[in-house]
Amino acid sequence: MTTVAVFGDLQPQDLLFLGEAALRTLLISSVAIATGSLAGIVFGWMMAAGNRTVQFAMNALLDIFRSVPLLIQLILFDAFVSIAGFPMPAFWSGTMVLSVYTSALVASVARGGIESVPASLRRASRSLGLSYWQDMRYVVWPVGLRSVFPSWVGVSLSVMKDSALVSVIGYIELLKASQILITRTAETFFILGIAGLFYFALSFPLSRAGQYVERRWQQS
């Protein structure tokens, strides 16, 4: 009687496959964090500087993206663009949803940074002849950024880990690649251990860079 092998052995190229998936995770996370942070800063400024109508509208809109689970947002958006006749590659669908999700989180951080600047300091800058935009550029953002920078780092690390959910729409990032290899090899513990190390390798430099910047600011 012949024995049929159901699972295959883990091969060296499988580690390369995981490495490439880790780079795809880094790519989609970096794009989402960069675009989402820029949009979030603008939204945060609108929430802090706008009138009550603008503040209410922005809060209501961003609360939707903060409250609805990211997994549901990904599935709904991917289904919507397909039904609308504008199907997108999984990378772009995932990037757009992650960027909007990031902007909703960063908006609260940016608003907190702006509102943390003492009103007396802003009045002093205006009394020295600075315009509104000069006040924002030279006083509000430098001071506010220091107070909320750790929160922004935390949001970025969270988004990097949440990028694993993009696998639900077919993007082969680190978690999806791990699932594929586990299905073929049944080496669950070993493969997930390697995936965990990759996630650590992606997140640790950002965490350390954030700590380094904070120390430099404290010393200056």
Side-chain angles (χ1 to χ4, degrees), residues 107-168:
S108 296
V109 173
R111 179 184 182 180
I114 294 173
E115 294 179 346
S116 70
V117 180
S120 57
L121 184 60
R122 300 198 64 180
R123 286 195 297 268
S125 67
R126 299 302 293 274
S127 67
L128 292 174
L130 270 66
S131 67
Y132 174 81
W133 294 112
Q134 288 175 325
D135 172 47
M136 292 294 294
R137 178 181 178 183
Y138 296 111
V139 178
V140 176
W141 286 120
V143 175
L145 179 61
R146 294 191 180 200
S147 65
V148 299
F149 183 73
S151 299
W152 176 83
V153 172
V155 168
S156 299
L157 291 172
S158 176
V159 170
M160 187 172 292
K161 290 180 288 187
D162 289 342
S163 67
L165 296 176
V166 181
S167 62
V168 76

Side-chain angles (χ1 to χ4, degrees), residues 14-26 28 160-161 163-167 171-182 191-202:
D14 294 333
L15 298 179
L16 272 179
F17 180 57
L18 283 177
E20 292 172 357
L23 290 177
R24 286 193 287 270
T25 294
L26 179 62
I28 195 170
M160 187 172 292
K161 290 180 288 187
S163 67
L165 296 176
V166 181
S167 62
Y171 184 67
I172 304 178
E173 44 66 66
L174 190 52
L175 181 60
K176 183 69 173 180
S178 300
Q179 292 172 336
I180 292 172
L181 292 181
I182 289 172
I191 291 174
L192 289 181
I194 294 176
L197 289 176
F198 273 122
Y199 275 115
F200 176 78
L202 294 176

